[in-house]
Amino acid sequence: MPRRRTSSSSSSTGSTSGSTTGAAGTTAAPRNRTPQPVTIRRRSFGDFLKAFLAFVALAVLLVGVPGALATQIGWPLPDGMPGLDWLQQEITVHTFLNILTVIVWLAWAQFTACVLVEMKAALSGVGVPGRVPGAGPSQLLARQLVAALLLVGATAASFTPGLSQLGHGYDAHQKPTVAAAQATPGLFAQQQEQASGAAAALAEQASHAAAHADAGGSTARQGDTKYYRIQPPEGRHHDSLWEIAQRHLGDGRRYKEIFELNKDRVQPDGSRLSEASLIRPGWIMEMPGDARGGDLVEMPDEAPDVSPDVQQQIGDYAQTGDHAQGAGGAQGGSGHAQGAGGAQGGSGHAQGGGATHVSVPDQQRPAHDGGHQQATAAGAESDSSFGLPEALLTAPLLAAGLLGALGRRRRQALWQSAFGSAGGRRGMEPPTPTGDAQDVQDALLVGADPEGVRLFDRSLRGLAASLAEESRALPVVYAAWLSNGDLHLQLAQPAGKPPAPWQQGQDQTFWMLARTDAERYEDVDTAAPYPGLVSLGTMDDSRLLLNLEAVPGIVSLSGREADRAAVFASVAAELATNGWSDRMTITLVGFGQDLAPLAPNRIRHLEDVEALLETMEAETRQRRGALGAAGHDSVLTGRTGPAQHTRWAPHLVLLAAQPSAEDAVKLAELAADASRLGIGYLVGTETGDLPGAAWEMEITGQGKLLAPLLGLELDAQVLPEPQQRAVVELFVEADPERESDGPATTPPFLVDISEQGRPAVYARLVGPYEIIGLDDPDGERSALLHEALALLLLHREGVHPRVLSSALWPRGVTDDVRGALLDRLREWLGTDPDGTPRLATDGSGRLILAKTVVSDLDVLRSLYHEATQGRGVGSRAVRGRLLTDALVLVRGPLLADRPEGRYRWLTHEIVDAQLPLLVADTGLALCAFHMEKDRAEKAIEALNAALRTAPADERLWHELLRATHATGDSDRLTALATDLIGRSGARGLPPRTEALLDELLPTWRDAIAAAG
């Protein structure tokens, strides 16, 4: 199978179609999909055998069948017109054979037509062939035989049944549907067999465009200016620049000239041409001067058959030509060279070989403005990443999954230490990361998009619930595209009209949900329908998620070992931590021994392929039997209705090392039925030649993920080895079972709680937000400055500037805006009496507050630490005073009066879990202090004060029951038990609470029942 490769850095100066040469002679790497040299893999003996057998079969069916009929039976129809008496004759065996012969002749004619259609499509590279009426099975057989015959001499493409609806092409038979409101991205268009000259066609295309660049750019000077009006669709046929160039310029590869002449010019509907694949009916295209082709090429002064309105539109459009030429002229000769390479030429550059490509969403839609602004702002920040790893900054779904899993792990560690044995890390923060781990944590905070993950998950579950209500099965989804907040699902085959608020996409194999509609979804109790979706990369600001469990076979990945490992690590990490899966098993073979801490319940590691084959053979048999016993045809039908949440979790196998030829065959046999069973295989290969691979991809040294025959060229999502180690370090440090190396109960920042340690600036965060020691800033800046100070106070170890800006502006912000805010913040905080600024920058570039800027949370931590581990240990009076002072500081939840829509970064913080534990520890310690002297009422008062901030802490309720029991008032104890039962709701009291009540008040159940 042909594979497209990107030249390495050592050969980047060579003359390849993967690079473009500017006017100065320098070589620049193109941004968009660029034609690459095509390498034809060597054919095996099996390929030649299949081709020979296909030739024999075709010869027998096309020549042998009619020859046998002609020689053995003869012509079955009568020589002349039969009379009416013919209808009254007896039906003999000879008559029956003649009728049967006619049927066979008709079937032969239909099959011959199918072979001709398939052969023409394969040799001409026109993409998906036309359908012969009523010839479904016959055309499928013809397609397979033609594919096998051409396998040894052509650029073979995928002939897998069902893939024809995977995408859309730019050929003569299957065009991208461009609706007036949107253009949806495609995935992998089915590609038919092409002639072996595809590589030469691609090279010719690049050289042709470069020749136009060298000749001085636009060809419009070769003759009079002409215009063409994009025609409305007819049936499934839609106009495209490729076909316009083919008809009127004689070469479809010259579509880039049309694109360059019309790029960014205002169309009659007010929108602009930004992608060669995104054109709309009614748009006007200026044509090169040598365009020919009848009255379809319209000139504003010579269009008598065109309505006056259209003439006016063409005339108005002509007035924008100079502006367009000026914009293009700024690029000089290199502008067309870039077009040849694909940097500016849109998405259809490889059409000379019949290849099909994906398109990207229309950026002109008003609903996308917010997302587009976010992308622009993010791009503005990307130039100054301050050393943070870009791999995580540009992977919002992966970063959100890792950040959420890390937060859950840290909370689990806190709760386990708080409710476990005495001491440990109760109420304290997790260890502060340093070095690479700190950079990775900051990158996660900046890059994560938890809101996007939430909407994505709700949208998929909402779709599953809607289909279940209509008693419809889940459609097979090969991929999902996230484009500026909108979700596009690419189906394996048409599945009818989608349920509201989903809409039909560009054709029947696309379902689309706008972000505004997704925001109306609420949480539903239904199984995750597509847990195998995983991010592969981006194309033109659209993010692709491939559904690994739905691929009809193995997905292979070739490239250098280090590059493959980075892709495998990214896929494994996202699958292990994503927010749109309920349960799954991820089996890692040949890599990833250290990734288990990310999700011990999901990830397992096997040493070799032999162990994998043994495991998967058993699981494949088990799943087939389970599906058959349940009466389901696939796991998708098992994820809706009564069977959901049971046995249909996916199993995704990631095999990094190339298996042997024998093992590859066994894997291919297992994967043949895997998509129906919910099992997916991603297998690495060094050569790009893997038996049984349904879809082939390649990762280049430049970070491009290529699948030429599937029409993909993505900016790959990767997790390189250094970032992988740092991520794992964060999870290992947060492991609740891990022993802490140092004094984990020591707060990261202690303040002087004596009278001499009075701070210059004091912020009250525990309860309503209040700042003492600073004047209020200007009204319009006050909210941002207060929020920035709160973030800095909660991170005394320092805050990266990009973390601060992403917290304040989740949609992104430019460097100058961020810099202006930091300047105002420094000015607002001022300096200490000795001239030291209260906001400084440490050696790593992180923002640090001076010790004279203190919060009540810092004081609370310091008081509790001093009472339990400092001076309070040796002095009972000091301990009681410190604990009392600490509990007085607690006025409610953290930042209780924060405005709605702000402080969303708190969802990433562990302080919301830490503060209640710290308050509970303080209340319990003060309760124990009073109970030592049998002061039950004082103990109850301390516990009630702590419960106002930590009402869910079971330890406080237990001590409150004991302290109330110590008063000797059984009615009061019964009332407290009744209150506890009311708070517990339908779940009832926890077992330990019931056991304690049985001990303190054996008759509590009867007393509560009597009280009603």
Side-chain angles (χ1 to χ4, degrees):
M1 184 172 290
R3 308 197 55 77
R4 181 172 60 189
R5 305 183 184 276
T6 302
S7 30
S8 62
S9 58
S10 63
S11 61
S12 61
T13 59
S15 177
T16 70
S17 61
S19 61
T20 58
T21 304
T26 58
T27 301
R31 289 184 62 254
N32 293 337
R33 296 166 294 281
T34 306
Q36 302 290 339
V38 177
T39 303
I40 308 300
R41 73 171 177 86
R42 301 179 64 180
R43 304 303 178 190
S44 65
F45 174 76
D47 294 334
F48 286 97
L49 180 60
K50 291 178 182 178
F52 175 74
L53 294 177
F55 174 77
V56 172
L58 285 172
V60 170
L61 292 174
L62 296 179
V63 180
V65 169
L69 291 174
T71 58
Q72 300 300 321
I73 299 179
W75 187 247
L77 298 178
D79 297 332
M81 179 67 66
L84 294 178
D85 57 343
W86 177 80
L87 298 176
Q88 301 175 357
Q89 294 180 2
E90 180 182 359
I91 298 178
T92 63
V93 174
H94 180 72
T95 304
F96 177 77
L97 289 176
N98 284 340
I99 295 174
L100 183 61
T101 303
V102 170
I103 295 175
V104 174
W105 273 107
L106 292 175
W108 171 84
Q110 185 187 60
F111 179 76
T112 302
C114 293
V115 171
L116 293 176
V117 168
E118 295 294 333
M119 187 70 74
K120 178 181 180 297
L123 293 178
S124 62
V126 297
V128 178
R131 294 182 177 273
V132 177
S138 297
Q139 190 163 6
L140 178 59
L141 175 61
R143 181 177 307 170
Q144 292 172 339
L145 292 175
V146 171
L149 179 61
L150 299 181
L151 184 63
V152 295
T155 311
S158 172
F159 276 74
T160 308
L163 294 187
S164 60
Q165 302 298 329
L166 268 173
H168 55 273
Y170 302 102
D171 48 73
H173 289 276
Q174 187 176 352
K175 305 297 181 296
T177 303
V178 184
Q182 68 177 23
T184 315
L187 178 59
F188 321 118
Q190 178 184 1
Q191 303 190 13
Q192 306 304 318
E193 293 290 339
Q194 317 169 21
S196 58
L202 291 176
E204 180 186 352
Q205 172 196 347
S207 61
H208 181 81
H212 278 274
D214 296 336
S218 174
T219 59
R221 293 188 297 269
Q222 297 177 8
D224 295 332
T225 303
K226 302 178 178 66
Y227 296 88
Y228 174 79
R229 192 164 183 264
I230 304 301
Q231 301 301 303
E234 297 180 6
R236 293 181 60 85
H237 175 84
H238 295 260
D239 225 343
S240 70
L241 293 186
W242 173 273
E243 198 167 63
I244 295 170
Q246 183 69 39
R247 290 197 306 265
H248 303 299
L249 299 176
D251 187 351
R253 295 189 294 272
R254 293 184 61 186
Y255 78 97
K256 289 183 181 296
E257 300 173 37
I258 306 175
F259 174 76
E260 290 296 336
L261 284 173
N262 298 276
K263 180 182 177 184
D264 295 330
R265 294 170 65 176
V266 179
Q267 293 292 335
D269 61 359
S271 55
R272 299 173 185 266
L273 174 67
S274 60
E275 286 285 341
S277 61
L278 304 182
I279 59 176
R280 298 176 180 174
W283 278 11
I284 298 168
M285 296 288 114
E286 181 179 339
M287 301 292 290
D290 61 339
R292 298 292 183 269
D295 56 4
L296 288 180
V297 178
E298 301 163 351
M299 292 160 281
D301 298 330
E302 301 178 15
D305 298 331
V306 178
S307 67
D309 291 341
V310 174
Q311 290 186 27
Q312 181 64 39
Q313 290 177 1
I314 296 176
D316 293 341
Y317 186 76
Q319 301 302 317
T320 66
D322 293 338
H323 170 73
Q325 295 287 350
Q331 300 175 359
S334 63
H336 287 276
Q338 288 180 345
Q344 302 292 340
S347 59
H349 62 272
Q351 293 148 347
T356 53
H357 292 265
V358 296
S359 63
V360 293
D362 189 353
Q363 298 291 341
Q364 305 297 332
R365 295 184 60 194
H368 295 170
D369 289 346
H372 186 59
Q373 178 183 359
Q374 177 180 357
T376 303
E381 287 194 338
S382 64
D383 295 334
S384 54
S385 61
F386 294 97
L388 297 183
E390 291 289 343
L392 292 171
L393 292 176
T394 57
L397 304 185
L398 170 61
L402 289 172
L403 196 60
L406 182 61
R408 291 190 294 271
R409 183 71 55 84
R410 288 173 171 172
R411 285 174 172 80
Q412 182 183 359
L414 280 177
W415 294 328
Q416 185 165 321
S417 63
F419 291 93
S421 58
R425 291 182 290 174
R426 288 194 305 176
M428 296 297 104
E429 292 185 346
T432 301
T434 58
D436 291 343
Q438 187 177 18
D439 289 340
V440 162
Q441 178 175 276
D442 288 341
L444 293 177
L445 290 168
V446 174
D449 183 14
E451 178 67 12
V453 171
R454 184 183 67 85
L455 290 178
F456 184 61
D457 181 40
R458 285 186 173 183
S459 300
L460 295 179
R461 294 180 193 267
L463 173 63
S466 299
L467 290 173
E469 291 177 0
E470 299 177 6
S471 299
R472 295 171 60 186
L474 285 168
V476 176
V477 169
Y478 278 140
W481 288 90
L482 287 173
S483 180
N484 296 320
D486 295 348
L487 173 60
H488 309 263
L489 295 183
Q490 192 154 7
L491 314 183
Q493 56 189 4
K497 182 180 179 181
W502 289 79
Q503 306 172 21
Q504 196 83 55
Q506 63 191 46
D507 59 35
Q508 295 181 0
T509 61
F510 287 89
W511 287 0
M512 191 275 288
L513 180 68
R515 182 184 178 94
T516 53
D517 294 327
E519 291 172 347
R520 302 192 189 105
Y521 270 121
E522 298 180 355
D523 293 329
V524 293
D525 183 20
T526 189
Y530 305 111
L533 286 166
V534 64
S535 303
L536 291 185
T538 58
M539 176 188 293
D540 298 322
D541 297 328
S542 296
R543 184 168 302 276
L544 168 66
L545 292 92
L546 178 66
N547 191 4
L548 284 179
E549 67 166 340
V551 175
I554 294 174
V555 179
S556 70
L557 177 66
S558 62
R560 297 186 309 180
E561 182 177 0
D563 298 328
R564 296 202 318 266
V567 175
F568 272 95
S570 171
V571 170
E574 185 169 297
L575 289 173
T577 61
N578 71 47
W580 54 87
S581 301
D582 296 323
R583 298 172 297 115
M584 70 167 54
T585 300
I586 307 165
T587 298
L588 310 181
V589 187
F591 82 106
Q593 295 89 335
D594 300 330
L595 292 176
L598 301 184
N601 296 329
R602 287 191 179 188
I603 294 179
R604 69 177 178 181
H605 179 263
L606 297 179
E607 292 297 332
D608 51 34
V609 180
E610 182 179 355
L612 172 67
L613 291 173
E614 181 180 353
T615 300
M616 298 313 300
E617 286 173 355
E619 179 161 346
T620 299
R621 288 194 301 270
Q622 186 273 333
R623 291 204 174 206
R624 283 174 178 162
L627 279 176
H632 298 303
D633 56 351
S634 74
V635 295
L636 289 179
T637 55
R639 286 182 185 151
T640 55
Q644 63 176 321
H645 301 300
T646 53
R647 67 190 76 160
W648 313 118
H651 185 169
L652 303 175
V653 176
L654 309 182
L655 174 59
Q658 179 169 354
S660 65
E662 181 180 357
D663 291 337
V665 172
K666 294 180 180 178
L667 275 177
E669 293 174 352
L670 290 172
D673 195 30
S675 60
R676 186 177 68 90
L677 306 176
I679 303 175
Y681 294 87
L682 178 61
V683 181
T685 171
E686 298 175 359
T687 62
D689 186 6
L690 184 68
W695 296 345
E696 295 185 347
M697 297 185 296
E698 177 187 358
I699 178 66
T700 71
Q702 291 74 34
K704 294 290 186 180
L705 190 66
L706 307 178
L709 296 181
L710 304 176
L712 282 180
E713 182 171 337
L714 305 171
D715 293 322
Q717 178 174 297
V718 295
L719 186 60
E721 177 65 21
Q723 283 81 59
Q724 179 183 335
R725 289 196 304 267
V727 166
V728 172
E729 179 182 339
L730 290 174
F731 278 80
V732 170
E733 289 289 336
D735 188 355
E737 304 296 334
R738 183 176 181 271
E739 294 293 335
S740 180
D741 297 332
T745 55
T746 302
F749 177 73
L750 292 173
V751 301
D752 185 358
I753 58 176
S754 65
E755 188 65 27
Q756 293 75 23
R758 184 179 298 275
V761 178
Y762 182 67
R764 305 179 73 181
L765 305 179
V766 185
Y769 193 1
E770 182 182 356
I771 298 178
I772 301 171
L774 291 176
D775 296 331
D776 288 337
D778 296 340
E780 62 181 31
R781 304 171 182 172
S782 178
L784 279 176
L785 293 176
H786 279 73
E787 187 173 356
L789 180 57
L791 178 61
L792 291 167
L793 286 167
L794 294 177
H795 290 277
R796 303 305 304 232
E797 74 280 6
V799 177
H800 196 286
R802 287 203 67 179
V803 174
L804 179 66
S805 64
S806 67
L808 300 180
W809 294 283
R811 291 180 176 271
V813 70
T814 56
D815 291 343
D816 56 343
V817 174
R818 176 179 56 224
L821 174 76
L822 294 180
D823 291 341
R824 288 194 292 267
L825 185 60
R826 290 189 179 96
E827 180 182 358
W828 180 46
L829 292 175
T831 59
D832 288 331
D834 61 357
T836 304
R838 292 171 181 159
L839 179 62
T841 304
D842 66 4
S844 64
R846 289 175 171 81
L847 303 170
I848 302 290
L849 287 175
K851 292 184 178 181
T852 55
V853 182
V854 174
S855 73
D856 54 355
L857 183 57
D858 298 326
V859 177
L860 176 60
R861 289 169 174 154
S862 301
L863 288 170
Y864 178 75
H865 174 75
E866 190 69 17
T868 56
Q869 300 182 50
R871 291 181 296 121
V873 175
S875 172
R876 171 181 166 78
V878 171
R879 183 169 73 255
R881 177 174 58 81
L882 293 174
L883 290 173
T884 302
D885 291 345
L887 210 54
V888 169
L889 293 175
V890 181
R891 301 174 298 127
L894 186 73
L895 298 168
D897 59 348
R898 58 181 179 261
E900 184 179 358
R902 301 212 63 87
Y903 295 85
R904 292 183 177 178
W905 47 269
L906 279 174
T907 58
H908 302 313
E909 302 288 339
I910 198 173
V911 67
D912 276 343
Q914 178 211 1
L915 177 60
L917 292 176
L918 177 59
V919 173
D921 287 347
T922 305
L924 291 171
L926 187 56
C927 171
F929 171 81
H930 289 304
M931 291 302 294
E932 289 176 0
K933 297 296 185 180
D934 295 326
R935 295 197 292 262
E937 293 296 340
K938 288 288 186 181
I940 292 173
E941 182 181 347
L943 292 169
N944 283 327
L947 280 168
R948 284 193 287 272
T949 298
D953 198 307
E954 190 178 356
R955 299 171 300 162
L956 292 174
W957 291 106
H958 289 175
E959 293 305 317
L960 185 59
L961 288 171
R962 292 189 178 98
T964 304
H965 177 265
T967 63
D969 189 343
S970 60
D971 292 338
R972 188 175 180 183
L973 184 60
T974 302
L976 179 58
T978 304
D979 183 35
L980 269 175
I981 292 174
R983 292 173 180 270
S984 62
R987 295 176 299 174
L989 293 175
R992 286 185 293 185
T993 304
E994 286 191 357
L996 180 60
L997 279 173
D998 289 336
E999 175 187 344
L1000 301 179
L1001 188 65
T1003 60
W1004 67 276
R1005 290 181 176 84
D1006 297 334
I1008 293 174

